[in-house]
Amino acid sequence: MSMRFRDSLVWITGASSGIGKKTAKQFQAEGAHVVFSAEREGDLNRVEDKCVGPGDTAVLPLDVTEEPAVSAATEEILAWFGRIDILVNNAELTQRGRIVETNLDVYRRIMDVNFFGPLMLTKAVLPSMLNRKAGRVVCVTSVAGKYSSPMRSGYNAAKDAAHGF
């Protein structure tokens, strides 16, 4: 197996399932030190337990919609590891429903998680990357941001905003 991420510090949001879980496991298998973030600590612990690569791991529960929590988490990771080499903005929320039946608070929550969350995280991490003149930010989006799918108006709109960002 390649070790191209050996000793890199990778912070992945939405790491408790799906793409985030697989991405976290792959980075860790390739030698990266990985910080797993999502809202559900139990799910994060289960992902961490399945990582068997050489890199260190840390679980840091996080609601990406809470600006003070995002700032605190960033400071905590920088205090632990001294740097963040790669931020993977992967947390997301989806929805299925007709526009007329979907409450505005659902749309707001989807925008908070899928657009404002990555925006806040990027703004929190970017100053340390600029100071070091090193680092990468990855934003996981969806083809739904370009080609809408039925019954997912909020998700489509949030992913379109993420593409623009």
Side-chain angles (χ1 to χ4, degrees):
M1 166 143 323
S2 165
M3 295 301 281
R4 61 191 161 151
F5 295 104
R6 179 184 298 274
D7 296 326
S8 295
L9 189 285
V10 181
W11 184 12
I12 302 174
T13 65
S16 63
S17 63
I19 292 171
K21 175 181 173 180
K22 289 186 186 306
T23 302
K25 289 168 75 174
Q26 187 65 40
F27 270 115
Q28 202 266 340
E30 293 195 26
H33 307 295
V34 180
V35 177
F36 305 92
S37 285
E39 287 186 295
R40 298 178 310 271
E41 186 172 4
D43 291 344
L44 290 170
N45 288 329
R46 282 187 281 285
V47 172
E48 183 184 39
D49 289 345
K50 292 188 174 163
C51 288
V52 294
D56 295 328
T57 59
V59 167
L60 185 60
L62 177 67
D63 179 345
V64 300
T65 68
E66 298 294 329
E67 191 170 0
V70 167
S71 296
T74 302
E75 290 173 17
E76 193 168 348
I77 293 169
L78 291 173
W80 287 344
F81 297 98
R83 71 192 193 288
I84 298 168
D85 296 306
I86 303 171
L87 168 65
V88 180
N89 285 308
N90 179 66
E92 75 166 15
L93 184 63
T94 190
Q95 134 279 351
R96 283 190 62 80
R98 292 186 165 87
I99 294 170
V100 71
E101 297 165 351
T102 304
N103 293 328
L104 283 177
D105 61 326
V106 171
Y107 287 106
R108 284 189 180 101
R109 180 74 178 155
I110 290 169
M111 287 301 290
D112 279 347
V113 172
N114 296 5
F115 173 69
F116 286 108
L119 174 64
M120 282 189 293
L121 281 150
T122 300
K123 287 183 66 62
V125 169
L126 201 53
S128 69
M129 289 180 172
L130 291 172
N131 285 339
R132 289 180 42 239
K133 295 182 171 57
R136 292 193 170 103
V137 176
V138 177
C139 292
V140 177
T141 63
S142 170
V143 70
K146 292 292 178 193
Y147 305 99
S148 297
S149 54
M151 306 287 284
R152 297 198 192 283
S153 56
Y155 180 77
N156 297 334
K159 291 302 184 174
D160 184 57
H163 276 281
F165 171 63

